[in-house]
Amino acid sequence: MTLAVLTPIVDDPFAYGRIAAANALSSLFATGARPLCAVALAAFPEDLDASIVASIFRGGAETCAQAGIPVVGGHTIKDAEPKYGFSVTGIVHPERIVRSDAGRDGDVLILTKALGVGILTTARHDDAIGDDELEPAIESMIELNAASSEAALRHGAAALSVVDDDGLIGRVRQMLGGRLGARIDGGTVPLFPRALALAAHDVVPSAARANLRAARATGARFSPDLPLGLPAILCDAQFSGGLVIAVPAARAGALLAELQEFAPASRAIGSLTAKRGIEIVWRPAKQ
């Protein structure tokens, strides 16, 4: 069972509901589990328009239906700031649970969604970008990780994790289990349009700044050649982010080819290593 609740990160209440449901389901998909049912959890101001509340619930129910599960109940309280999410129950054979820290030396790391959600939603809140520039991130957040999880399992993935409020580097650090390291090529990490330019101009939310400080404090090594703003994006808190998959190198190409059918942003971004710690390098594409 997982539980996840979000405050509003987009203006459209229907999209907010869909994102909150996809976000709650992602943690189940990252274990290899199949969802069975969901319970809605919400907090709304007493004077919030009933049509807005209805749109939020309708969005959440639609995404749960897309995942093939019913919303079997819910609980709502009064609060000054809206909050919405789900407790999701799933099932998986005990011997088939995929751990986040079970990767092996030499496994390839694959990321299935672009980064920069936190930066883009912050920029939209500050009117630094328009709705059209935020739309790719909204579409990504709504997309379920179910198919990506199933593909990863078919190709022998040893470890799975979902990029969340800890950011990519935080999640990769947790995947190491204190016994491995990782080498990430910053030039291969998929990014949303405008995210890098915004981060370079210091449009960076507080969560990304805190994650970046934590990454450096725990020994992550960022190459000085990285573009300005990229370290912040690699630590940007994501909502309904993509999966990070650790898969044997011999299977990585086939997995990527399959992922392109339904998760076209997917990229191989690095590998697990025997040398402990996380190193982020920059290897620009050859001209």
Side-chain angles (χ1 to χ4, degrees), residues 37-105:
C37 62
V39 174
L41 305 167
F44 299 120
E46 194 169 6
D47 59 352
L48 186 64
D49 191 290
S51 65
I52 295 176
V53 175
S55 291
I56 294 171
F57 277 107
R58 186 164 49 87
E62 180 166 312
T63 291
C64 286
Q66 182 184 352
I69 63 171
V71 179
V72 296
H75 184 69
T76 305
I77 63 173
K78 298 174 184 177
D79 197 357
E81 183 178 30
K83 301 174 183 68
Y84 182 63
F86 289 88
S87 172
V88 184
T89 299
I91 186 170
V92 62
H93 191 284
E95 295 179 2
R96 296 177 182 173
I97 296 173
V98 182
R99 295 169 54 95
S100 63
D101 61 353
R104 299 154 297 200
D105 179 18

Side-chain angles (χ1 to χ4, degrees), residues 1-3 23-36 88-102 145-146 148-154 157-163 171 175 242-245:
M1 184 179 74
T2 66
L3 188 153
N23 182 68
L25 282 157
S26 284
S27 294
L28 268 185
F29 295 136
T31 66
R34 176 173 59 86
L36 295 176
V88 184
T89 299
I91 186 170
V92 62
H93 191 284
E95 295 179 2
R96 296 177 182 173
I97 296 173
V98 182
R99 295 169 54 95
S100 63
D101 61 353
N145 283 323
S148 296
S149 174
E150 292 167 2
L153 296 177
R154 280 195 297 273
L160 290 174
S161 190
V162 60
V163 186
R171 270 298 158 184
M175 293 182 79
L243 295 179
V244 185
I245 305 167

Side-chain angles (χ1 to χ4, degrees), residues 71-189:
V71 179
V72 296
H75 184 69
T76 305
I77 63 173
K78 298 174 184 177
D79 197 357
E81 183 178 30
K83 301 174 183 68
Y84 182 63
F86 289 88
S87 172
V88 184
T89 299
I91 186 170
V92 62
H93 191 284
E95 295 179 2
R96 296 177 182 173
I97 296 173
V98 182
R99 295 169 54 95
S100 63
D101 61 353
R104 299 154 297 200
D105 179 18
D107 279 354
V108 172
L109 292 175
I110 294 175
L111 176 62
T112 64
K113 290 186 181 183
L115 298 182
V117 163
I119 287 167
L120 289 173
T121 53
T122 297
R124 183 66 193 94
H125 180 269
D126 295 341
D127 290 325
I129 61 172
D131 288 339
D132 58 329
E133 294 172 291
L134 181 60
E135 188 60 30
I138 292 177
E139 292 177 359
S140 176
M141 287 187 283
I142 288 172
E143 191 67 34
L144 292 171
N145 283 323
S148 296
S149 174
E150 292 167 2
L153 296 177
R154 280 195 297 273
H155 289 274
L160 290 174
S161 190
V162 60
V163 186
D164 56 10
D165 52 0
D166 289 327
L168 174 65
I169 299 302
R171 270 298 158 184
V172 170
R173 183 173 65 247
Q174 293 170 2
M175 293 182 79
L176 305 182
R179 57 188 176 80
L180 293 172
R183 181 180 174 90
I184 296 173
D185 180 358
T188 64
V189 178

Side-chain angles (χ1 to χ4, degrees), residues 173-219:
R173 183 173 65 247
Q174 293 170 2
M175 293 182 79
L176 305 182
R179 57 188 176 80
L180 293 172
R183 181 180 174 90
I184 296 173
D185 180 358
T188 64
V189 178
L191 309 177
F192 286 110
R194 290 296 309 277
L196 186 59
L198 289 164
H201 284 86
D202 206 31
V203 181
V204 177
S206 58
R209 297 181 193 277
N211 287 341
L212 181 55
R213 288 194 297 270
R216 286 175 167 149
T218 53

